[in-house]
Each structure stands twice: as C-alpha cells, then as structure tokens.
Amino acid sequence: MTYIAKPKFHHPGLKKNELGYTHRDYEGKISTLCAGCGHDSITASIIEACYELSIEPHRVAKISGIGCSSKTPDYFLGNSHGFNSVHGRMPSVLTGANLANRDLIYLGVSGDGDSASIGFGQFAHSIRRGVNMTYIVENNGVYGLTKGQFSATADRGSKSKKGVTNTDNAIDLVAIALQLGATFVARSFSGDKTQLVPLIAAAIRHKGASFIDVISPCIAFNNHAGSTKSFDYVREHNDAVNRLDVLVGRDPIAVDYAPGTVQVVEQHDGSKIALRKIDADYDPHDRLGAQTFLARHAAKGQIVTGLLYVDPDAEDLHEHLNTVETPLNSLEADTLCPGSAVLDEINASLR
C-alpha cells in the first residue's frame, strides 16, 4: 500500500554518509510489489548506490513509464523529484527535463515491456542522442501487470508458466544500446547486489548515456523451469566479465591490489572506475568487441554481466547542442527572448 508511509522513527545509531544522511533518507514508500520480486532488490541497490555517493536526494529526478518496474521509483528517494509518464514515453519526458535543467541527476527507470515494445523508438532516440542519464531497465521478460504474457525480451524457446513456448526472437537491449552509441553499457542481475550497486554508482557518475539492463525475475509469472529469466537460470548461466568498484575522485582512497589485476578507467568528471578483471582478454573500451562477446556467449545460452563498455571521453546532449552552462529553466526572460534585433543578426549570419 503506497499510501502507507514508512515510520520516521529509526535507531539513532544508524550509519551516516558524508552528508549526514542514513539509508532511511534515501528510501521511499512501502513497496506493493509481490514479496520476493527482483525489482525490490534493484530498489535496494539504487538506495545503496546513492547513499554511498552521498547524493543529495533533491538533486535527483527519477522518471518512469508504466509497468511493475515503473512503480518502483515510488519506493526510493522519496525526497527527490519524480514523474511517472505514460507507457513507453519516459525517455522523451526525461530528455525534455534534462534540456531544461542540466544540473539534476536523471534516473530513468523502465521495464522490458515499457522500453522494448511500445517505447522501443523512444529508448533508441534517447540513447543515440547521448542524453546524460542513468537508464535502468528492470527486465523480467514478461508483462507482470497483465498476467505474464511474453515481452519482447523473452528468449526464443523459453517457456511461459502455462507451458507455452516463445517462438519470437528476443530483443537484446544491451546489444541495441551498444549499436546506438551508449557510452556506458552494463548488464547485471537483481540478486547480485555486490555487482549491481557499484554498476549503478558508476553509471550515475558517468557523463553521457548510461544504460544498465538488470535481469529481474518475476516470481509470479517467470520464475519456473523453462524460463531464462528465473533466479535459478540466471545464477547457473551468469558469466561475469569483471568486478567493479567506483573510486570517487574527490576522496583519497588507498588501494592494495596485486599488480596487473586492476584497470583504472578515468571518467570525464575526474572520477575513476577500477575494474578487477576476471577475464584478462576482455577490453571494456572496445565497442565492437563487446558486441561480438555478447553474441558469442548468447549463442552458448550464457548471460553476460558486468561493465561491458565504457567511453571515458563521452559527450552528452548539451555538448552536442552547444547549450549554455546555465540551466534553461534558470535563464531570465530577456536572455531567452533578446528581441528582434538579435534575431535579425542571427538570420543575417546564415545568409
């Protein structure tokens, strides 16, 4: 029941971050999702990542569409900005908000039905334009609000709870994000908080279009034998390419790793991502290599997780459009509408 607020009382000894906030300050309302839903685990990871980064909740704008996944922003960062848009249209709303106020941190939360079906075009254009955002898809392969029909990300050959076999080819949103030019691409599993939390933190710190596909089992309709999105299947077929830590540039951090086991990726804002490589041959800077790696392992029935690609010199939509540093919603009227003389001067320069 989302109308039931969590009690404000908490133990006075709760651990606090640099801002003096506890985990409770990053929580939202009580979840109404099914007990054990993977989406709630993603919510917990978002809360943990924001807590660890010491983000001020009012600096975050969380935007969603329609579906079980799109309900989850109500369950985290209750003191942030939020907008629940219509089905599949979250990316457009987020893009408009980002253009109006570039100073906020944008979290787009969507699902496989919301982004891979009705919102597929919206997803594609927000990624290719390089909107500075963290786009999280909570991917369970079914329409959980309408009794478990296959979604566009359901793997060919997987079976529904009623035993029906999916004969359609699946849309791999990670492969599409790579092709469209996303500058931070990752996949994780809702049940792997150790991997997911630093991935979300790194995506938030990244400047540009960050995309994370999170396999999130639907315990009501897609957590059975024959499903390729179930807890058991993902755990059995998970192939992690790396383990991720986020080293925030503003704090001195002492590390002690064996020589050759860490690769530091410097980001545009000065923060760093340290990759503890499991597969010594994997290069997260190679976009084409990442696409080939995904396809090769998908053919084996393996789900690749971890940081698949990152561009340390990424640009965002504001740099592409050469907008002013001041957020558009903060500009004065005389700056936004300087008069006909300025317009005449612009038109003359184009002749």
Side-chain angles (χ1 to χ4, degrees), residues 104-288:
L104 295 179
I105 297 169
Y106 289 92
L107 292 179
V109 181
S110 185
D112 43 297
D114 198 49
S115 283
S117 291
I118 189 171
F120 194 38
Q122 303 268 319
F123 160 77
H125 291 298
S126 67
I127 294 294
R128 76 180 185 87
R129 287 172 178 148
V131 180
N132 188 15
M133 62 181 175
T134 297
Y135 194 129
I136 299 175
V137 168
E138 300 180 348
N139 186 354
N140 56 23
V142 296
Y143 288 93
L145 285 182
T146 55
K147 307 308 178 187
Q149 301 94 329
F150 291 120
S151 79
T153 64
D155 294 308
R156 186 186 180 105
S158 62
K159 295 183 181 296
S160 70
K161 190 174 182 179
K162 294 182 179 180
V164 178
T165 300
N166 180 36
T167 58
D168 295 334
N169 290 319
I171 291 176
D172 187 340
L173 290 173
V174 164
I176 297 296
L178 283 167
Q179 182 181 1
L180 292 170
T183 51
F184 183 106
V185 182
R187 174 178 280 140
S188 191
F189 174 50
S190 63
D192 189 354
K193 193 174 181 181
T194 301
Q195 182 190 64
L196 183 55
V197 171
L199 280 176
I200 294 174
I204 291 173
R205 297 288 298 177
H206 181 75
K207 184 178 182 181
S210 299
F211 176 72
I212 306 177
D213 178 37
V214 187
I215 307 300
S216 179
C218 174
I219 62 164
F221 299 108
N222 211 13
N223 193 37
H224 51 273
S227 167
T228 58
K229 298 285 193 293
S230 66
F231 281 105
D232 289 342
Y233 185 91
V234 176
R235 284 172 178 148
E236 183 179 350
H237 296 81
N238 188 353
D239 183 15
V241 296
N242 44 48
R243 183 175 176 182
L244 187 72
D245 283 334
V246 177
L247 309 180
V248 181
R250 66 176 181 272
D251 296 326
I253 299 178
V255 295
D256 184 14
Y257 297 121
T261 61
V262 176
Q263 180 183 7
V264 178
V265 181
E266 180 150 357
Q267 301 213 33
H268 211 67
D269 59 2
S271 63
K272 294 179 175 62
I273 299 174
L275 294 170
R276 286 184 288 193
K277 293 203 141 188
I278 293 176
D279 187 343
D281 296 328
Y282 190 81
D283 180 11
H285 304 104
D286 183 357
R287 187 186 297 274
L288 292 178

